[in-house]
Structure formats: C-alpha cells, structure tokens
Amino acid sequence: MTLSFFDQFMSPTYLGVPLIALALSLPWILYPTPSARWLNNRLLTLQGWFINRFTQQLLLPLNLGGHKWATLLTSLMIFLITINMLGLLPYTFTPTTQLSLNLGFAVPLWLATVIIGMRNQPTHALGHLLPEGTPTPLIPVLIIIETISLFIRPLALAVRLTANLTAGHLLIQLIATAAFVLLPLMPAVAILTATLLFLLTLLEIAVAMIQAYVFVLLLSLYLQENI
C-alpha cells in the first residue's frame, strides 16, 4: 500500500497514548543538570557557554525591563532547537510541523508582549498603529492595516516555523524515495541523488537551528517595541 507523503506529519499514537507528548517531554531529559561540584565537566561547561552567549546576544537590543524574559526566551529557543533536530532522526516525529503547536507557542507570548505594552505605555503602544506625518485622508486606512498586521504577527511566526520544517521533511522524503527507486535501475544517478540527499540533510540541520533562533528573535523584537 502506497502511503501519502504527508502521513509523516500525522501525530502518531501507541496503545492510545499520543506520542507527541513523549516527543515534547524528551528534550528536557537529554540535557545534563548542573551538579554541586565546584568544577563542571566539559559538556556542562560547553552548555553553559552556549546559553550565556545566546542570552547576551538576545538581550542586546532590550532594556533592563526586557531582561526578565531571558530565562523564558532562552529555554524556548533550546527547546525548539532540540525537537527540530530530533525530528531529523529516522522513525521520529517532529512536533513543530504541527501548526496548532506552533500557534500555542506564538499566540500567548505575542499576546503577553502586547498586554505589557498596553499596560506600561499605552500611548506609545497605540502610536505604532499610525506613523508620524500621515496625511489625514489615509489615517483610517493605515490604522486598519497596522491593526491587521499586528494580529497577523503570531500567525506569521507559527506558519514560518511550520512551513520551513514541513518543506524540508517533504524534500528529504521525496529525494530519499527517488534514490531507492533509481538504485536498481540507474546506480550512478542514484549515487548522485544520495549525495544530494546528504547535502539537503546538512541544510535541514542548519534550518532547524536557524528557524528556532528566528522564532525567538522575532519575539524579542516584539517585546522591544512594547517595553
């Protein structure tokens, strides 16, 4: 029976238990926890260096009020990178290919930035809806356009992450299927296809990390506008 290429994006279940719950909880188990020793091992030192460098880079455009979000944004970025990378392994499931999950990440965090802006500086937050020096006849139209663009932000965050990962997984499956089909017919072409598959896999590893970083970076920019 020929399965659809999109079957890989269905949330699998085993004994009635959705495996997406296991895929979401697994990343927290993989990372080592800090010990009570005075000196850490190499793995913990590398992990701490990476987290510190990313946190410093993330907080550069933010003032002191935005530094409270450092733990949340850094944890979200590491979590997204981990589940994106684990999804590239054979016989695994990538939760971030589900639009509902990505919307669950994007909408609450985006809404929190908007609420913070409305609470702390409502005049400045509402001022983003109307650029300075706008001609009077264009004021209603621009307010409507800026309001729509504001509410589209979480959808754009979720769709960007979903579309990039989904497209990459589909390309990998298509090229892998072509390599298996061509192997008994044209071995030379199959080897070239397998080489292309290897290069595409390397690209997908980069995409998995970059898309997680872009997701968190855009959230930090939305936060910067409202603090």
Side-chain angles (χ1 to χ4, degrees), residues 180-200:
F180 277 113
V181 171
L182 292 173
L183 186 59
L185 303 176
M186 293 179 287
V189 179
I191 293 174
L192 291 177
T193 307
T195 305
L196 179 61
L197 177 63
F198 175 73
L199 296 176
L200 182 62

mmCIF file with all atom_site columns, all heavy atoms in Angstrom, residues 180-200:
data_model
loop_
_atom_site.group_PDB
_atom_site.id
_atom_site.type_symbol
_atom_site.label_atom_id
_atom_site.label_alt_id
_atom_site.label_comp_id
_atom_site.label_asym_id
_atom_site.label_entity_id
_atom_site.label_seq_id
_atom_site.pdbx_PDB_ins_code
_atom_site.Cartn_x
_atom_site.Cartn_y
_atom_site.Cartn_z
_atom_site.occupancy
_atom_site.B_iso_or_equiv
_atom_site.pdbx_formal_charge
_atom_site.auth_seq_id
_atom_site.auth_comp_id
_atom_site.auth_asym_id
_atom_site.auth_atom_id
_atom_site.pdbx_PDB_model_num
ATOM 1   N N   . PHE A 1 180 ? 16.025 5.394  -3.692  1.00 0.00 ? 180 PHE A N   1
ATOM 2   C CA  . PHE A 1 180 ? 15.728 3.960  -3.579  1.00 0.00 ? 180 PHE A CA  1
ATOM 3   C C   . PHE A 1 180 ? 15.165 3.395  -4.879  1.00 0.00 ? 180 PHE A C   1
ATOM 4   O O   . PHE A 1 180 ? 15.466 2.265  -5.261  1.00 0.00 ? 180 PHE A O   1
ATOM 5   C CB  . PHE A 1 180 ? 14.729 3.735  -2.434  1.00 0.00 ? 180 PHE A CB  1
ATOM 6   C CG  . PHE A 1 180 ? 15.378 3.666  -1.093  1.00 0.00 ? 180 PHE A CG  1
ATOM 7   C CD1 . PHE A 1 180 ? 15.148 4.656  -0.148  1.00 0.00 ? 180 PHE A CD1 1
ATOM 8   C CD2 . PHE A 1 180 ? 16.231 2.628  -0.760  1.00 0.00 ? 180 PHE A CD2 1
ATOM 9   C CE1 . PHE A 1 180 ? 15.751 4.604  1.098   1.00 0.00 ? 180 PHE A CE1 1
ATOM 10  C CE2 . PHE A 1 180 ? 16.840 2.561  0.484   1.00 0.00 ? 180 PHE A CE2 1
ATOM 11  C CZ  . PHE A 1 180 ? 16.605 3.561  1.413   1.00 0.00 ? 180 PHE A CZ  1
ATOM 12  N N   . VAL A 1 181 ? 14.330 4.182  -5.576  1.00 0.00 ? 181 VAL A N   1
ATOM 13  C CA  . VAL A 1 181 ? 13.744 3.698  -6.829  1.00 0.00 ? 181 VAL A CA  1
ATOM 14  C C   . VAL A 1 181 ? 14.796 3.600  -7.930  1.00 0.00 ? 181 VAL A C   1
ATOM 15  O O   . VAL A 1 181 ? 14.799 2.663  -8.746  1.00 0.00 ? 181 VAL A O   1
ATOM 16  C CB  . VAL A 1 181 ? 12.584 4.631  -7.239  1.00 0.00 ? 181 VAL A CB  1
ATOM 17  C CG1 . VAL A 1 181 ? 12.093 4.289  -8.649  1.00 0.00 ? 181 VAL A CG1 1
ATOM 18  C CG2 . VAL A 1 181 ? 11.431 4.518  -6.257  1.00 0.00 ? 181 VAL A CG2 1
ATOM 19  N N   . LEU A 1 182 ? 15.723 4.579  -7.962  1.00 0.00 ? 182 LEU A N   1
ATOM 20  C CA  . LEU A 1 182 ? 16.717 4.608  -9.033  1.00 0.00 ? 182 LEU A CA  1
ATOM 21  C C   . LEU A 1 182 ? 17.884 3.663  -8.803  1.00 0.00 ? 182 LEU A C   1
ATOM 22  O O   . LEU A 1 182 ? 18.650 3.390  -9.743  1.00 0.00 ? 182 LEU A O   1
ATOM 23  C CB  . LEU A 1 182 ? 17.257 6.038  -9.196  1.00 0.00 ? 182 LEU A CB  1
ATOM 24  C CG  . LEU A 1 182 ? 16.281 7.080  -9.736  1.00 0.00 ? 182 LEU A CG  1
ATOM 25  C CD1 . LEU A 1 182 ? 16.899 8.467  -9.681  1.00 0.00 ? 182 LEU A CD1 1
ATOM 26  C CD2 . LEU A 1 182 ? 15.868 6.739  -11.165 1.00 0.00 ? 182 LEU A CD2 1
ATOM 27  N N   . LEU A 1 183 ? 18.073 3.161  -7.584  1.00 0.00 ? 183 LEU A N   1
ATOM 28  C CA  . LEU A 1 183 ? 19.251 2.338  -7.285  1.00 0.00 ? 183 LEU A CA  1
ATOM 29  C C   . LEU A 1 183 ? 19.350 1.091  -8.164  1.00 0.00 ? 183 LEU A C   1
ATOM 30  O O   . LEU A 1 183 ? 20.421 0.820  -8.733  1.00 0.00 ? 183 LEU A O   1
ATOM 31  C CB  . LEU A 1 183 ? 19.253 1.966  -5.795  1.00 0.00 ? 183 LEU A CB  1
ATOM 32  C CG  . LEU A 1 183 ? 20.489 1.229  -5.299  1.00 0.00 ? 183 LEU A CG  1
ATOM 33  C CD1 . LEU A 1 183 ? 21.741 2.090  -5.538  1.00 0.00 ? 183 LEU A CD1 1
ATOM 34  C CD2 . LEU A 1 183 ? 20.357 0.892  -3.818  1.00 0.00 ? 183 LEU A CD2 1
ATOM 35  N N   . PRO A 1 184 ? 18.281 0.293  -8.355  1.00 0.00 ? 184 PRO A N   1
ATOM 36  C CA  . PRO A 1 184 ? 18.438 -0.888 -9.236  1.00 0.00 ? 184 PRO A CA  1
ATOM 37  C C   . PRO A 1 184 ? 18.415 -0.526 -10.718 1.00 0.00 ? 184 PRO A C   1
ATOM 38  O O   . PRO A 1 184 ? 18.895 -1.317 -11.545 1.00 0.00 ? 184 PRO A O   1
ATOM 39  C CB  . PRO A 1 184 ? 17.233 -1.765 -8.861  1.00 0.00 ? 184 PRO A CB  1
ATOM 40  C CG  . PRO A 1 184 ? 16.215 -0.804 -8.355  1.00 0.00 ? 184 PRO A CG  1
ATOM 41  C CD  . PRO A 1 184 ? 16.951 0.311  -7.696  1.00 0.00 ? 184 PRO A CD  1
ATOM 42  N N   . LEU A 1 185 ? 17.877 0.622  -11.075 1.00 0.00 ? 185 LEU A N   1
ATOM 43  C CA  . LEU A 1 185 ? 17.754 0.987  -12.487 1.00 0.00 ? 185 LEU A CA  1
ATOM 44  C C   . LEU A 1 185 ? 18.974 1.741  -12.985 1.00 0.00 ? 185 LEU A C   1
ATOM 45  O O   . LEU A 1 185 ? 19.573 1.372  -14.009 1.00 0.00 ? 185 LEU A O   1
ATOM 46  C CB  . LEU A 1 185 ? 16.489 1.838  -12.693 1.00 0.00 ? 185 LEU A CB  1
ATOM 47  C CG  . LEU A 1 185 ? 15.170 1.200  -12.244 1.00 0.00 ? 185 LEU A CG  1
ATOM 48  C CD1 . LEU A 1 185 ? 14.024 2.184  -12.407 1.00 0.00 ? 185 LEU A CD1 1
ATOM 49  C CD2 . LEU A 1 185 ? 14.911 -0.071 -13.046 1.00 0.00 ? 185 LEU A CD2 1
ATOM 50  N N   . MET A 1 186 ? 19.355 2.817  -12.285 1.00 0.00 ? 186 MET A N   1
ATOM 51  C CA  . MET A 1 186 ? 20.490 3.659  -12.677 1.00 0.00 ? 186 MET A CA  1
ATOM 52  C C   . MET A 1 186 ? 21.334 3.936  -11.438 1.00 0.00 ? 186 MET A C   1
ATOM 53  O O   . MET A 1 186 ? 21.103 4.928  -10.733 1.00 0.00 ? 186 MET A O   1
ATOM 54  C CB  . MET A 1 186 ? 19.993 4.960  -13.302 1.00 0.00 ? 186 MET A CB  1
ATOM 55  C CG  . MET A 1 186 ? 19.292 4.758  -14.643 1.00 0.00 ? 186 MET A CG  1
ATOM 56  S SD  . MET A 1 186 ? 18.697 6.313  -15.339 1.00 0.00 ? 186 MET A SD  1
ATOM 57  C CE  . MET A 1 186 ? 17.301 6.647  -14.280 1.00 0.00 ? 186 MET A CE  1
ATOM 58  N N   . PRO A 1 187 ? 22.291 3.063  -11.128 1.00 0.00 ? 187 PRO A N   1
ATOM 59  C CA  . PRO A 1 187 ? 23.076 3.223  -9.891  1.00 0.00 ? 187 PRO A CA  1
ATOM 60  C C   . PRO A 1 187 ? 23.835 4.546  -9.820  1.00 0.00 ? 187 PRO A C   1
ATOM 61  O O   . PRO A 1 187 ? 23.955 5.151  -8.753  1.00 0.00 ? 187 PRO A O   1
ATOM 62  C CB  . PRO A 1 187 ? 24.035 2.032  -9.928  1.00 0.00 ? 187 PRO A CB  1
ATOM 63  C CG  . PRO A 1 187 ? 23.365 1.036  -10.811 1.00 0.00 ? 187 PRO A CG  1
ATOM 64  C CD  . PRO A 1 187 ? 22.625 1.821  -11.841 1.00 0.00 ? 187 PRO A CD  1
ATOM 65  N N   . ALA A 1 188 ? 24.366 5.012  -10.953 1.00 0.00 ? 188 ALA A N   1
ATOM 66  C CA  . ALA A 1 188 ? 25.138 6.261  -10.939 1.00 0.00 ? 188 ALA A CA  1
ATOM 67  C C   . ALA A 1 188 ? 24.244 7.440  -10.564 1.00 0.00 ? 188 ALA A C   1
ATOM 68  O O   . ALA A 1 188 ? 24.624 8.298  -9.744  1.00 0.00 ? 188 ALA A O   1
ATOM 69  C CB  . ALA A 1 188 ? 25.790 6.492  -12.295 1.00 0.00 ? 188 ALA A CB  1
ATOM 70  N N   . VAL A 1 189 ? 23.057 7.484  -11.159 1.00 0.00 ? 189 VAL A N   1
ATOM 71  C CA  . VAL A 1 189 ? 22.123 8.569  -10.830 1.00 0.00 ? 189 VAL A CA  1
ATOM 72  C C   . VAL A 1 189 ? 21.665 8.446  -9.380  1.00 0.00 ? 189 VAL A C   1
ATOM 73  O O   . VAL A 1 189 ? 21.481 9.457  -8.679  1.00 0.00 ? 189 VAL A O   1
ATOM 74  C CB  . VAL A 1 189 ? 20.924 8.536  -11.799 1.00 0.00 ? 189 VAL A CB  1
ATOM 75  C CG1 . VAL A 1 189 ? 19.928 9.640  -11.441 1.00 0.00 ? 189 VAL A CG1 1
ATOM 76  C CG2 . VAL A 1 189 ? 21.396 8.707  -13.231 1.00 0.00 ? 189 VAL A CG2 1
ATOM 77  N N   . ALA A 1 190 ? 21.509 7.213  -8.900  1.00 0.00 ? 190 ALA A N   1
ATOM 78  C CA  . ALA A 1 190 ? 21.093 7.019  -7.509  1.00 0.00 ? 190 ALA A CA  1
ATOM 79  C C   . ALA A 1 190 ? 22.157 7.520  -6.541  1.00 0.00 ? 190 ALA A C   1
ATOM 80  O O   . ALA A 1 190 ? 21.844 8.094  -5.495  1.00 0.00 ? 190 ALA A O   1
ATOM 81  C CB  . ALA A 1 190 ? 20.795 5.543  -7.265  1.00 0.00 ? 190 ALA A CB  1
ATOM 82  N N   . ILE A 1 191 ? 23.443 7.324  -6.892  1.00 0.00 ? 191 ILE A N   1
ATOM 83  C CA  . ILE A 1 191 ? 24.523 7.814  -6.028  1.00 0.00 ? 191 ILE A CA  1
ATOM 84  C C   . ILE A 1 191 ? 24.516 9.338  -5.991  1.00 0.00 ? 191 ILE A C   1
ATOM 85  O O   . ILE A 1 191 ? 24.695 9.961  -4.929  1.00 0.00 ? 191 ILE A O   1
ATOM 86  C CB  . ILE A 1 191 ? 25.874 7.261  -6.512  1.00 0.00 ? 191 ILE A CB  1
ATOM 87  C CG1 . ILE A 1 191 ? 25.927 5.750  -6.298  1.00 0.00 ? 191 ILE A CG1 1
ATOM 88  C CG2 . ILE A 1 191 ? 27.032 7.941  -5.793  1.00 0.00 ? 191 ILE A CG2 1
ATOM 89  C CD1 . ILE A 1 191 ? 27.152 5.094  -6.865  1.00 0.00 ? 191 ILE A CD1 1
ATOM 90  N N   . LEU A 1 192 ? 24.314 9.957  -7.148  1.00 0.00 ? 192 LEU A N   1
ATOM 91  C CA  . LEU A 1 192 ? 24.216 11.423 -7.188  1.00 0.00 ? 192 LEU A CA  1
ATOM 92  C C   . LEU A 1 192 ? 23.022 11.916 -6.369  1.00 0.00 ? 192 LEU A C   1
ATOM 93  O O   . LEU A 1 192 ? 23.104 12.926 -5.658  1.00 0.00 ? 192 LEU A O   1
ATOM 94  C CB  . LEU A 1 192 ? 24.101 11.896 -8.639  1.00 0.00 ? 192 LEU A CB  1
ATOM 95  C CG  . LEU A 1 192 ? 25.346 11.731 -9.518  1.00 0.00 ? 192 LEU A CG  1
ATOM 96  C CD1 . LEU A 1 192 ? 25.055 12.172 -10.947 1.00 0.00 ? 192 LEU A CD1 1
ATOM 97  C CD2 . LEU A 1 192 ? 26.498 12.533 -8.950  1.00 0.00 ? 192 LEU A CD2 1
ATOM 98  N N   . THR A 1 193 ? 21.923 11.191 -6.463  1.00 0.00 ? 193 THR A N   1
ATOM 99  C CA  . THR A 1 193 ? 20.737 11.571 -5.683  1.00 0.00 ? 193 THR A CA  1
ATOM 100 C C   . THR A 1 193 ? 20.998 11.417 -4.192  1.00 0.00 ? 193 THR A C   1
ATOM 101 O O   . THR A 1 193 ? 20.576 12.254 -3.388  1.00 0.00 ? 193 THR A O   1
ATOM 102 C CB  . THR A 1 193 ? 19.537 10.703 -6.100  1.00 0.00 ? 193 THR A CB  1
ATOM 103 O OG1 . THR A 1 193 ? 19.368 10.757 -7.514  1.00 0.00 ? 193 THR A OG1 1
ATOM 104 C CG2 . THR A 1 193 ? 18.267 11.201 -5.431  1.00 0.00 ? 193 THR A CG2 1
ATOM 105 N N   . ALA A 1 194 ? 21.705 10.360 -3.802  1.00 0.00 ? 194 ALA A N   1
ATOM 106 C CA  . ALA A 1 194 ? 22.043 10.170 -2.392  1.00 0.00 ? 194 ALA A CA  1
ATOM 107 C C   . ALA A 1 194 ? 22.985 11.265 -1.893  1.00 0.00 ? 194 ALA A C   1
ATOM 108 O O   . ALA A 1 194 ? 22.880 11.713 -0.744  1.00 0.00 ? 194 ALA A O   1
ATOM 109 C CB  . ALA A 1 194 ? 22.672 8.796  -2.195  1.00 0.00 ? 194 ALA A CB  1
ATOM 110 N N   . THR A 1 195 ? 23.905 11.713 -2.756  1.00 0.00 ? 195 THR A N   1
ATOM 111 C CA  . THR A 1 195 ? 24.779 12.831 -2.380  1.00 0.00 ? 195 THR A CA  1
ATOM 112 C C   . THR A 1 195 ? 23.970 14.101 -2.166  1.00 0.00 ? 195 THR A C   1
ATOM 113 O O   . THR A 1 195 ? 24.195 14.848 -1.202  1.00 0.00 ? 195 THR A O   1
ATOM 114 C CB  . THR A 1 195 ? 25.831 13.055 -3.480  1.00 0.00 ? 195 THR A CB  1
ATOM 115 O OG1 . THR A 1 195 ? 26.535 11.837 -3.714  1.00 0.00 ? 195 THR A OG1 1
ATOM 116 C CG2 . THR A 1 195 ? 26.810 14.138 -3.079  1.00 0.00 ? 195 THR A CG2 1
ATOM 117 N N   . LEU A 1 196 ? 23.010 14.337 -3.061  1.00 0.00 ? 196 LEU A N   1
ATOM 118 C CA  . LEU A 1 196 ? 22.120 15.489 -2.890  1.00 0.00 ? 196 LEU A CA  1
ATOM 119 C C   . LEU A 1 196 ? 21.311 15.369 -1.603  1.00 0.00 ? 196 LEU A C   1
ATOM 120 O O   . LEU A 1 196 ? 21.088 16.368 -0.894  1.00 0.00 ? 196 LEU A O   1
ATOM 121 C CB  . LEU A 1 196 ? 21.190 15.594 -4.107  1.00 0.00 ? 196 LEU A CB  1
ATOM 122 C CG  . LEU A 1 196 ? 20.167 16.731 -4.093  1.00 0.00 ? 196 LEU A CG  1
ATOM 123 C CD1 . LEU A 1 196 ? 20.856 18.088 -4.045  1.00 0.00 ? 196 LEU A CD1 1
ATOM 124 C CD2 . LEU A 1 196 ? 19.249 16.635 -5.303  1.00 0.00 ? 196 LEU A CD2 1
ATOM 125 N N   . LEU A 1 197 ? 20.906 14.149 -1.279  1.00 0.00 ? 197 LEU A N   1
ATOM 126 C CA  . LEU A 1 197 ? 20.158 13.929 -0.037  1.00 0.00 ? 197 LEU A CA  1
ATOM 127 C C   . LEU A 1 197 ? 21.011 14.242 1.188   1.00 0.00 ? 197 LEU A C   1
ATOM 128 O O   . LEU A 1 197 ? 20.535 14.838 2.157   1.00 0.00 ? 197 LEU A O   1
ATOM 129 C CB  . LEU A 1 197 ? 19.679 12.475 0.012   1.00 0.00 ? 197 LEU A CB  1
ATOM 130 C CG  . LEU A 1 197 ? 18.929 12.040 1.274   1.00 0.00 ? 197 LEU A CG  1
ATOM 131 C CD1 . LEU A 1 197 ? 17.637 12.830 1.428   1.00 0.00 ? 197 LEU A CD1 1
ATOM 132 C CD2 . LEU A 1 197 ? 18.633 10.550 1.228   1.00 0.00 ? 197 LEU A CD2 1
ATOM 133 N N   . PHE A 1 198 ? 22.282 13.870 1.148   1.00 0.00 ? 198 PHE A N   1
ATOM 134 C CA  . PHE A 1 198 ? 23.188 14.167 2.260   1.00 0.00 ? 198 PHE A CA  1
ATOM 135 C C   . PHE A 1 198 ? 23.364 15.674 2.429   1.00 0.00 ? 198 PHE A C   1
ATOM 136 O O   . PHE A 1 198 ? 23.314 16.197 3.557   1.00 0.00 ? 198 PHE A O   1
ATOM 137 C CB  . PHE A 1 198 ? 24.538 13.497 2.004   1.00 0.00 ? 198 PHE A CB  1
ATOM 138 C CG  . PHE A 1 198 ? 25.579 13.835 3.025   1.00 0.00 ? 198 PHE A CG  1
ATOM 139 C CD1 . PHE A 1 198 ? 25.523 13.297 4.305   1.00 0.00 ? 198 PHE A CD1 1
ATOM 140 C CD2 . PHE A 1 198 ? 26.613 14.711 2.720   1.00 0.00 ? 198 PHE A CD2 1
ATOM 141 C CE1 . PHE A 1 198 ? 26.477 13.622 5.263   1.00 0.00 ? 198 PHE A CE1 1
ATOM 142 C CE2 . PHE A 1 198 ? 27.574 15.028 3.660   1.00 0.00 ? 198 PHE A CE2 1
ATOM 143 C CZ  . PHE A 1 198 ? 27.507 14.485 4.938   1.00 0.00 ? 198 PHE A CZ  1
ATOM 144 N N   . LEU A 1 199 ? 23.546 16.391 1.322   1.00 0.00 ? 199 LEU A N   1
ATOM 145 C CA  . LEU A 1 199 ? 23.695 17.851 1.396   1.00 0.00 ? 199 LEU A CA  1
ATOM 146 C C   . LEU A 1 199 ? 22.412 18.508 1.895   1.00 0.00 ? 199 LEU A C   1
ATOM 147 O O   . LEU A 1 199 ? 22.450 19.468 2.685   1.00 0.00 ? 199 LEU A O   1
ATOM 148 C CB  . LEU A 1 199 ? 24.079 18.406 0.025   1.00 0.00 ? 199 LEU A CB  1
ATOM 149 C CG  . LEU A 1 199 ? 25.432 17.952 -0.523  1.00 0.00 ? 199 LEU A CG  1
ATOM 150 C CD1 . LEU A 1 199 ? 25.657 18.497 -1.928  1.00 0.00 ? 199 LEU A CD1 1
ATOM 151 C CD2 . LEU A 1 199 ? 26.555 18.392 0.400   1.00 0.00 ? 199 LEU A CD2 1
ATOM 152 N N   . LEU A 1 200 ? 21.269 17.985 1.458   1.00 0.00 ? 200 LEU A N   1
ATOM 153 C CA  . LEU A 1 200 ? 19.996 18.533 1.915   1.00 0.00 ? 200 LEU A CA  1
ATOM 154 C C   . LEU A 1 200 ? 19.792 18.288 3.407   1.00 0.00 ? 200 LEU A C   1
ATOM 155 O O   . LEU A 1 200 ? 19.230 19.135 4.110   1.00 0.00 ? 200 LEU A O   1
ATOM 156 C CB  . LEU A 1 200 ? 18.844 17.924 1.108   1.00 0.00 ? 200 LEU A CB  1
ATOM 157 C CG  . LEU A 1 200 ? 17.432 18.433 1.445   1.00 0.00 ? 200 LEU A CG  1
ATOM 158 C CD1 . LEU A 1 200 ? 17.320 19.922 1.177   1.00 0.00 ? 200 LEU A CD1 1
ATOM 159 C CD2 . LEU A 1 200 ? 16.383 17.678 0.655   1.00 0.00 ? 200 LEU A CD2 1
#
